[in-house]
Amino acid sequence: VQYSLPQHKENVVLATGKCQYSAKDNVLLTDYKYKTSTVKNNKADGSIKVSLEEQDYKFKIDLKVPKVGVMLVGFGGNNGSTLLASILANKHNISFHNKDGEIKPNYLGSMTQSATVHLGRDEETGRDFFQPFNAVLPMVNPNDLIVTGWDISNLNLAESMQRAQVLDYDLQRQLTPLMKEYTPMKSIYYPEFIAANQFDRANNCINSKGDEFTTKGKWDHMMQVRSDIKTFKTENQLDKVIVLWTANTEKFAQIVPGVNDTHENLLQAIKNDHEEIAPSTLFAVASILEGVPYINGSPQNTFVPGLIKLAEHENVLIAGDDFKTGQTKLKSVLTQFLVDAGIRPVSIASYNHLGNNDGKNLSSQMQFKSKEISKSGVINDILESNSIMYGDDPEKARIDHCIVIKYMPAVGDSKVAMDEYYNELMLGGHNRISLHNVCEDSLLAAPIILDLVIMCEFCSRVTYKEANDNGDYKKFHPVLTLLSYWLKAPLAREDFLPVNGLMKQRAALENFMRLLIGLPANDELRFEERLA
Ligand code: NAI
Ligand code: DG6
């Protein structure tokens, strides 16, 4: 089986014996035996019964890379402008100078562009062989993404980039002529959902007359977004579009029975101009009704039950919430390491201060609350995995974990995160780990946005069925939890819990790529070395 990788100008030859290539449809068909185990924990007689389960699946991967458009809500923000700048710098191969010398464009921080997958042992050298993540199966090249978006602020993207103060001046200078060609589309601004200190920014809104904003006509606002999506898709002759929220953090919406609990109620509530309908709800609904995947990069609970049900009803991919960039990414590694090493975290104090517009918005209590919820939950499943240290009741497996965020304009986008991990050791000892982490928020977030888009698109080209099923191949469940690696508070489908540990999330992605080319999950057993 052989296929080409457009981004890499090389061919992959698969001799795994599990794959077939169909030239007629340009698809790869792969057989995979999924093995898992279930446990019956019988507390009455103190026994634990472990059973093995196996299921044969067939996967179909469409190898044609489509032309993809990305629509960012919050296009003119720090993340939005940094993302566009990174694409244009790479696409036009713009090098620039800073005090360290010449910097060539790159996509560091993007797992799909700058990390690798373990494929096996090199026949000749005996060393492990690693292939770029995006060179296992054909993926969209970020340089080919067509980008647009909405913002409540009317600055063009060159001005937004200057306002963001993220990139070195020499790069900004070279990018300005390209960036100024992009202007955000008008957006929806309902003042009560974001901090009052954002009011001055709102001069590019479909629901305003001068300084007056109306929250009446929510259905029409949603339909305007649908129309923007349709127009963008047609004018750019796109095969696919993905919408991603990287606008300000909103306050949490209340879950109100009869309003946002079912998809029918949610649509009716939009028609009724209900006060719990946020701008992000309208963007998500518009995307889903257009059959376009929607990703939430902020912490607010856009995915109320009615919205998840709408995505299920329309069979459209959704993922969220809140990009996992600096402090939290490290926390989901470090806490997992401690707990898996049998060291008992007792408390984690997480402080951060930042001076960008995100920090300004989060200085308001309701918006901070959304972020606090998102940042607090990331260790729960890790603690719950260890009954020796935290007891049998998962609901009670909690430690002191405080989140503090302060707005400090002087540090700009260079968010400073300080964490103290206080851990219990053997025989009453304690260990204290203090971390000081200057995150560079938008330079960490922009590559994550790329990964979310690229992997979301890739997953939409993979379908599956049980091996004995003669019917059609099916899409993945609309709640695309494979994207959890990039998200602080991973959205889980009903009856499932989120997985936060970064290494588990990474293993899922790596093994997913491996299974699609007929390889078993990476188990690190390495028998060739360990057995006599
Ligand atoms: P930002 O404040 O620079 O950008 C947000 C943009 O959204 C602004 O340009 C604002 O005018 C616009 N906006 C606000 N409401 C809007 C609406 N209804 N429609 C369209 N545009 C609207 O913030 P930044 O730093 O770009 O972050 C964006 C979001 O991503 C924030 O919610 C932040 O909490 C979240 N986030 C950022 C991370 C990072 O490391 N940079 C990590 C995790 C989440
Ligand atoms: C301060 O916590 C502001 C937030 O928007 C964060 O910068 C962002 O959520 C990234 O957080 P973390 O914990 O992933 O670095």
Side-chain angles (χ1 to χ4, degrees):
V1 171
Q2 181 168 341
Y3 52 86
S4 60
L5 297 166
Q7 196 180 340
H8 293 270
K9 311 249 176 311
E10 68 181 351
N11 286 339
V12 177
V13 180
L14 293 180
T16 55
K18 302 283 182 196
C19 305
Q20 280 174 278
Y21 175 67
S22 160
K24 182 169 80 68
D25 307 318
N26 194 19
V27 296
L28 187 69
L29 300 164
T30 304
D31 294 329
Y32 185 74
K33 187 184 283 297
Y34 176 64
K35 293 182 188 170
T36 186
S37 49
T38 50
V39 177
K40 186 160 176 55
N41 182 5
N42 192 336
K43 290 192 177 136
D45 71 2
S47 69
I48 292 172
K49 184 176 155 204
V50 187
S51 319
L52 193 60
E53 285 167 21
E54 293 184 348
Q55 176 65 53
D56 288 308
Y57 286 103
K58 283 186 178 302
F59 284 86
K60 181 163 89 174
I61 308 109
D62 182 353
L63 298 180
K64 182 176 180 298
V65 175
K67 185 174 180 194
V68 178
V70 186
M71 304 185 84
L72 301 174
V73 195
F75 192 26
N78 284 24
N79 289 348
S81 55
T82 308
L83 177 84
L84 180 65
S86 70
I87 293 174
L88 293 174
N90 278 280
K91 183 175 176 149
H92 298 281
N93 195 20
I94 298 176
S95 296
F96 61 98
H97 281 82
N98 66 13
K99 64 182 179 188
D100 297 325
E102 190 189 38
I103 308 292
K104 294 202 178 342
N106 61 50
Y107 284 120
L108 289 178
S110 156
M111 197 192 88
T112 59
Q113 305 310 306
S114 304
T116 58
V117 178
H118 180 229
L119 281 194
R121 277 175 82 231
D122 187 306
E123 253 182 22
E124 266 176 40
T125 64
R127 288 171 179 264
D128 284 337
F129 183 88
F130 297 92
Q131 178 78 341
F133 197 94
N134 61 8
V136 177
L137 285 158
M139 288 190 181
V140 173
N141 183 338
N143 295 358
D144 297 335
L145 290 169
I146 310 295
V147 187
T148 188
W150 301 264
D151 206 293
I152 57 172
S153 156
N154 70 355
L155 295 194
N156 70 44
L157 266 285
E159 295 164 326
S160 303
M161 169 179 68
Q162 286 154 23
R163 174 175 60 186
Q165 300 179 333
V166 171
L167 301 171
D168 278 307
Y169 173 70
D170 190 28
L171 180 59
Q172 286 192 36
R173 186 183 60 73
Q174 297 185 67
L175 283 171
T176 293
L178 298 167
M179 299 277 287
K180 74 177 175 22
E181 298 302 316
Y182 293 78
T183 306
M185 290 179 281
K186 287 188 175 185
S187 193
I188 306 163
Y189 174 55
Y190 301 155
E192 63 277 25
F193 281 92
I194 59 175
N197 61 29
Q198 299 295 308
F199 183 80
D200 292 348
R201 237 175 138 100
N203 62 2
N204 194 41
C205 308
I206 56 179
N207 59 317
S208 69
K209 278 204 190 89
D211 272 357
E212 297 290 310
F213 295 91
T214 177
T215 55
K216 298 275 176 275
K218 292 188 172 183
W219 186 262
D220 292 342
H221 303 159
M222 190 274 293
M223 291 303 281
Q224 177 60 48
V225 174
R226 287 188 71 175
S227 157
D228 292 342
I229 297 172
K230 279 201 248 295
T231 308
F232 175 59
K233 195 169 178 193
T234 323
E235 283 182 352
N236 293 283
Q237 297 175 319
L238 300 168
D239 301 311
K240 288 183 188 173
V241 172
I242 293 172
V243 174
L244 181 144
W245 179 278
T246 180
N248 286 16
T249 296
E250 295 176 335
K251 68 172 184 175
F252 258 51
Q254 283 182 47
I255 310 297
V256 187
V259 172
N260 44 20
D261 51 350
T262 67
H263 71 277
E264 293 93 342
N265 288 342
L266 183 68
L267 296 179
Q268 191 54 48
I270 297 174
K271 290 180 180 155
N272 294 345
D273 288 328
H274 194 279
E275 61 187 15
E276 287 306 321
I277 301 295
S280 67
T281 314
L282 299 181
F283 277 95
V285 168
S287 307
I288 292 167
L289 294 180
E290 284 303 312
V292 161
Y294 183 86
I295 299 170
N296 178 28
S298 298
Q300 72 272 346
N301 63 340
T302 303
F303 295 122
V304 291
L307 200 43
I308 298 176
K309 285 179 183 141
L310 184 67
E312 287 171 347
H313 185 259
E314 302 293 325
N315 206 5
V316 176
L317 296 175
I318 55 172
D321 298 317
D322 207 7
F323 308 124
K324 178 154 81 170
T325 48
Q327 184 175 37
T328 306
K329 197 168 244 172
L330 203 47
K331 188 180 287 175
S332 68
V333 175
L334 196 52
T335 312
Q336 186 82 64
F337 142 64
L338 291 165
V339 171
D340 286 353
I343 295 173
R344 181 172 178 265
V346 183
S347 69
I348 305 176
S350 288
Y351 303 86
N352 54 87
H353 59 266
L354 70 169
N356 56 18
N357 189 55
D358 180 27
K360 187 174 176 189
N361 183 57
L362 295 174
S363 65
S364 160
Q365 190 54 26
M366 302 280 263
Q367 287 65 32
F368 165 72
K369 202 75 209 155
S370 300
K371 192 63 95 175
E372 185 186 32
I373 293 170
S374 160
K375 281 192 167 229
S376 302
V378 301
I379 54 170
N380 292 353
D381 63 320
I382 300 172
L383 305 180
E384 287 166 18
S385 73
N386 194 313
S387 60
I388 304 163
M389 295 195 276
Y390 299 106
D392 283 333
D393 182 354
E395 303 291 323
K396 294 192 179 146
R398 298 290 178 263
I399 60 172
D400 288 345
H401 181 198
C402 83
I403 306 291
V404 180
I405 302 175
K406 292 290 170 198
Y407 177 47
M408 184 78 78
V411 302
D413 207 65
S414 302
K415 183 186 77 182
V416 180
M418 288 173 286
D419 293 271
E420 186 191 81
Y421 293 75
Y422 186 50
N423 311 307
E424 189 178 343
L425 304 176
M426 200 167 77
L427 303 176
H430 281 95
N431 146 263
R432 208 182 284 266
I433 303 172
S434 299
L435 285 172
H436 186 277
N437 176 359
V438 182
C439 292
E440 299 296 346
D441 256 1
S442 306
L443 291 173
L444 289 174
I448 281 178
I449 296 178
L450 281 179
D451 285 342
L452 284 163
V453 167
I454 287 167
M455 280 309 284
C456 181
E457 187 290 312
F458 177 75
C459 290
S460 73
R461 277 188 283 129
V462 181
T463 49
Y464 74 95
K465 62 181 179 180
E466 291 178 7
N468 54 7
D469 180 352
N470 292 324
D472 292 338
Y473 283 84
K474 291 179 276 203
K475 293 185 189 175
F476 284 134
H477 187 273
V479 179
L480 191 55
T481 53
L482 269 171
L483 302 191
S484 301
Y485 175 82
W486 294 282
L487 297 160
K488 260 205 272 294
L491 179 71
R493 65 193 268 201
E494 212 175 353
D495 297 332
F496 287 84
L497 293 168
V499 172
N500 286 286
L502 193 85
M503 292 310 155
K504 290 183 191 171
Q505 296 167 333
R506 177 65 160 81
L509 288 164
E510 174 153 348
N511 288 324
F512 176 57
M513 297 311 293
R514 285 172 58 93
L515 87 81
L516 295 177
I517 57 167
L519 294 178
N522 225 343
D523 55 20
E524 293 297 331
L525 284 175
R526 296 177 184 261
F527 275 179
E528 47 292 69
E529 169 190 346
R530 301 188 211 275
L531 301 188

Coordinates of all heavy atoms in Angstrom, one line a residue, residues 420-452:
E420 N 2.9 26.6 43.3 CA 3.5 25.9 44.4 C 2.8 24.5 44.6 O 1.6 24.5 44.9 CB 3.5 26.6 45.7 CG 4.4 25.8 46.7 CD 4.2 26.4 48.1 OE1 3.2 26.1 48.8 OE2 5.1 27.1 48.6
Y421 N 3.5 23.5 44.4 CA 3.0 22.1 44.6 C 3.5 21.7 46.0 O 4.8 21.6 46.2 CB 3.5 21.1 43.5 CG 2.9 21.4 42.2 CD1 3.4 22.5 41.4 CD2 1.9 20.7 41.6 CE1 2.9 22.8 40.2 CE2 1.4 20.9 40.4 CZ 1.9 22.0 39.6 OH 1.4 22.3 38.4
Y422 N 2.6 21.3 46.9 CA 3.1 20.8 48.2 C 2.6 19.4 48.3 O 1.5 19.0 48.2 CB 2.3 21.7 49.3 CG 2.8 21.4 50.7 CD1 4.1 21.4 51.0 CD2 1.8 21.2 51.7 CE1 4.5 21.2 52.4 CE2 2.2 21.0 53.0 CZ 3.6 21.0 53.3 OH 3.9 20.8 54.6
N423 N 3.6 18.5 48.5 CA 3.4 17.1 48.4 C 3.8 16.3 49.6 O 4.8 16.7 50.2 CB 4.1 16.5 47.2 CG 3.9 17.4 45.9 OD1 2.8 17.6 45.6 ND2 5.0 17.8 45.3
E424 N 3.1 15.2 49.9 CA 3.4 14.4 51.1 C 4.3 13.3 50.6 O 4.0 12.5 49.7 CB 2.2 13.9 51.7 CG 2.4 13.3 53.1 CD 1.1 12.8 53.7 OE1 0.0 13.3 53.3 OE2 1.2 12.0 54.6
L425 N 5.4 13.1 51.4 CA 6.3 12.0 51.1 C 6.2 10.9 52.2 O 5.4 11.0 53.1 CB 7.8 12.5 51.0 CG 8.0 13.6 50.0 CD1 9.5 14.0 50.2 CD2 7.8 13.1 48.6
M426 N 7.0 9.9 52.1 CA 7.0 8.8 53.1 C 7.2 9.4 54.6 O 7.9 10.3 54.8 CB 8.2 7.9 52.7 CG 8.1 6.5 53.3 SD 9.3 5.5 52.5 CE 10.8 5.9 53.3
L427 N 6.6 8.7 55.5 CA 6.8 8.9 56.9 C 6.8 10.4 57.3 O 7.7 10.9 58.1 CB 8.2 8.3 57.3 CG 8.3 6.8 57.0 CD1 9.7 6.3 57.3 CD2 7.3 6.0 57.7
G428 N 5.8 11.1 56.8 CA 5.5 12.5 57.3 C 6.4 13.5 56.6 O 6.3 14.7 57.0
G429 N 7.2 13.2 55.6 CA 8.0 14.2 54.9 C 7.2 15.0 53.9 O 6.1 14.5 53.5
H430 N 7.7 16.1 53.6 CA 7.0 16.9 52.5 C 8.0 17.4 51.5 O 9.1 17.7 51.8 CB 6.3 18.1 53.2 CG 5.0 17.7 53.8 ND1 4.9 17.4 55.2 CD2 3.7 17.5 53.3 CE1 3.7 17.0 55.5 NE2 2.9 17.1 54.4
N431 N 7.5 17.6 50.3 CA 8.3 18.1 49.2 C 7.5 19.3 48.6 O 6.3 19.3 48.6 CB 8.5 16.9 48.2 CG 8.5 17.3 46.8 OD1 7.5 17.2 46.1 ND2 9.6 17.7 46.4
R432 N 8.2 20.3 48.3 CA 7.6 21.5 47.8 C 8.3 21.9 46.4 O 9.5 22.0 46.4 CB 7.9 22.6 48.8 CG 6.9 23.7 48.9 CD 7.4 24.8 49.8 NE 7.2 24.4 51.2 CZ 6.2 24.7 52.0 NH1 5.2 25.4 51.5 NH2 6.1 24.3 53.2
I433 N 7.4 22.0 45.4 CA 8.0 22.3 44.1 C 7.4 23.7 43.7 O 6.2 23.9 43.7 CB 7.5 21.3 43.0 CG1 7.9 19.9 43.4 CG2 8.1 21.7 41.7 CD1 7.4 18.8 42.5
S434 N 8.3 24.7 43.5 CA 7.8 26.0 43.1 C 8.2 26.2 41.6 O 9.4 26.0 41.3 CB 8.5 27.1 44.0 OG 8.1 26.8 45.3
L435 N 7.3 26.7 40.9 CA 7.5 26.9 39.4 C 7.3 28.4 39.1 O 6.3 28.9 39.5 CB 6.6 26.1 38.6 CG 6.8 24.6 38.5 CD1 5.6 23.9 37.8 CD2 8.1 24.4 37.7
H436 N 8.1 28.9 38.2 CA 7.9 30.2 37.7 C 8.0 30.1 36.2 O 9.0 29.7 35.6 CB 9.0 31.2 38.2 CG 8.8 32.6 37.8 ND1 9.2 33.1 36.6 CD2 8.3 33.6 38.5 CE1 8.9 34.4 36.5 NE2 8.3 34.7 37.7
N437 N 6.9 30.4 35.5 CA 6.7 30.0 34.1 C 6.2 31.3 33.4 O 5.1 31.7 33.5 CB 5.7 28.9 34.1 CG 5.3 28.4 32.8 OD1 5.8 28.9 31.8 ND2 4.5 27.4 32.7
V438 N 7.1 31.8 32.6 CA 6.6 33.0 31.7 C 6.1 32.4 30.4 O 6.8 31.8 29.6 CB 7.8 34.0 31.4 CG1 7.3 35.1 30.6 CG2 8.4 34.5 32.7
C439 N 4.7 32.5 30.3 CA 4.1 31.6 29.3 C 4.1 32.2 27.9 O 4.2 31.4 26.9 CB 2.6 31.4 29.7 SG 2.5 30.4 31.2
E440 N 4.2 33.5 27.7 CA 4.0 34.1 26.3 C 2.7 33.5 25.7 O 2.7 32.7 24.8 CB 5.2 33.7 25.4 CG 6.5 34.2 25.9 CD 6.6 35.8 25.9 OE1 5.7 36.4 25.3 OE2 7.5 36.3 26.6
D441 N 1.6 34.0 26.3 CA 0.3 33.4 26.0 C -0.1 33.2 24.6 O -0.4 32.1 24.2 CB -0.8 34.3 26.7 CG -1.3 33.7 28.0 OD1 -0.8 32.6 28.3 OD2 -2.2 34.2 28.6
S442 N 0.0 34.2 23.7 CA -0.5 34.0 22.4 C 0.4 33.2 21.5 O 0.0 32.5 20.6 CB -0.7 35.4 21.7 OG -1.6 36.2 22.6
L443 N 1.7 33.3 21.8 CA 2.7 32.4 21.0 C 2.5 30.9 21.4 O 2.9 30.1 20.6 CB 4.1 32.8 21.3 CG 4.5 34.2 20.7 CD1 5.9 34.6 21.2 CD2 4.4 34.2 19.2
L444 N 1.9 30.7 22.6 CA 1.6 29.3 22.9 C 0.2 28.9 22.3 O 0.0 27.8 21.9 CB 1.6 29.1 24.4 CG 2.9 29.1 25.1 CD1 2.8 29.0 26.6 CD2 3.8 27.9 24.7
A445 N -0.7 29.9 22.3 CA -2.1 29.6 21.9 C -2.2 29.4 20.4 O -3.0 28.5 20.0 CB -3.0 30.6 22.5
A446 N -1.5 30.3 19.6 CA -1.8 30.2 18.2 C -1.4 28.8 17.6 O -2.2 28.3 16.8 CB -1.0 31.3 17.5
P447 N -0.3 28.2 17.9 CA -0.1 26.9 17.4 C -1.1 25.8 17.8 O -1.3 24.9 17.1 CB 1.3 26.5 17.9 CG 1.9 27.7 18.6 CD 0.8 28.7 18.7
I448 N -1.6 26.1 19.0 CA -2.7 25.1 19.5 C -3.9 25.3 18.7 O -4.6 24.3 18.4 CB -2.9 25.4 21.0 CG1 -1.8 24.7 21.8 CG2 -4.2 24.9 21.5 CD1 -1.8 25.0 23.3
I449 N -4.2 26.5 18.3 CA -5.4 26.7 17.4 C -5.2 26.0 16.1 O -6.1 25.3 15.6 CB -5.6 28.2 17.2 CG1 -6.0 28.9 18.5 CG2 -6.7 28.5 16.1 CD1 -6.2 30.4 18.4
L450 N -4.0 26.1 15.6 CA -3.7 25.3 14.3 C -3.9 23.8 14.5 O -4.5 23.2 13.7 CB -2.2 25.6 13.9 CG -1.9 26.9 13.2 CD1 -0.4 26.9 12.9 CD2 -2.7 27.1 12.0
D451 N -3.4 23.3 15.6 CA -3.5 21.9 15.8 C -5.0 21.5 15.9 O -5.4 20.4 15.4 CB -2.8 21.5 17.1 CG -1.3 21.4 16.9 OD1 -0.8 21.4 15.8 OD2 -0.6 21.5 17.9
L452 N -5.8 22.3 16.7 CA -7.2 22.0 16.8 C -7.9 21.9 15.5 O -8.7 21.0 15.2 CB -7.9 23.0 17.7 CG -7.6 22.9 19.2 CD1 -7.9 24.1 20.0 CD2 -8.4 21.7 19.8

